[in-house]
Amino acid sequence: QVQLVESGGGLVQAGGSLRLSCAASGSIFSINAMGWYRRAPGKQRELVAGITSAGSTNYAVSVKGRFTISRNNAAKNTVYLQMNSLKPEDTAVYYCNADVFAVVGGRNDYWGQGTQVTVSS
């Protein structure tokens, strides 16, 4: 069984910063890409940022230059999202995603439970 556990959401004023973390645990053989998605009220889920096992990154246009995605160097089983210069339109539930090769079950896509980020104006 593979689990993704997120932390770090909360309420912040516009212009402030938050750092999200997502740790993968369980019977994992390897993890390929990891990423962060978000779903704002009344909107579809969208990709915020992604990072491969080699460290290549990609960002949504709306967050480029403000958000930074990274992974821990050793086990590469934790992904972070540093969010700076937050705007009210960044308010959403943020979800962690991982492309995992599990010891049992092979390759699957896993999701965290979501963490609320609220940016006040």
Side-chain angles (χ1 to χ4, degrees), residues 24-63:
S25 62
S27 301
I28 296 171
F29 180 71
S30 65
I31 302 176
N32 298 317
M34 299 185 80
W36 289 95
Y37 289 73
R38 67 186 181 188
R39 176 175 285 154
K43 295 186 178 181
Q44 291 188 334
R45 185 176 62 195
E46 63 173 348
L47 173 67
V48 177
I51 184 168
T52 68
S53 58
S56 297
T57 60
N58 64 291
Y59 296 92
V61 172
S62 60
V63 307

Side-chain angles (χ1 to χ4, degrees), residues 4-5 9-10 16-17 27-28 38 68 85-87 95 97 102 104 115-116 119:
L4 301 182
V5 179
S17 298
S27 301
I28 296 171
R38 67 186 181 188
T68 303
S85 303
L86 282 161
K87 303 175 181 180
Y95 297 91
N97 171 266
V104 177
T115 185
Q116 177 70 46
V119 184

Side-chain angles (χ1 to χ4, degrees), residues 46-86:
E46 63 173 348
L47 173 67
V48 177
I51 184 168
T52 68
S53 58
S56 297
T57 60
N58 64 291
Y59 296 92
V61 172
S62 60
V63 307
K64 197 171 291 186
R66 299 188 297 123
F67 291 10
T68 303
I69 190 170
S70 61
R71 287 170 74 165
N72 61 327
N73 290 331
K76 296 185 178 180
N77 64 337
T78 302
V79 63
Y80 306 97
L81 186 67
Q82 178 66 43
M83 304 184 294
N84 298 329
S85 303
L86 282 161

Side-chain angles (χ1 to χ4, degrees), residues 83-119:
M83 304 184 294
N84 298 329
S85 303
L86 282 161
K87 303 175 181 180
E89 51 262 45
D90 294 318
T91 295
V93 178
Y94 284 70
Y95 297 91
C96 174
N97 171 266
D99 177 11
V100 177
F101 274 103
V103 173
V104 177
R107 184 177 183 178
N108 282 291
D109 216 28
Y110 291 89
W111 293 89
Q113 79 282 4
T115 185
Q116 177 70 46
V117 172
T118 303
V119 184

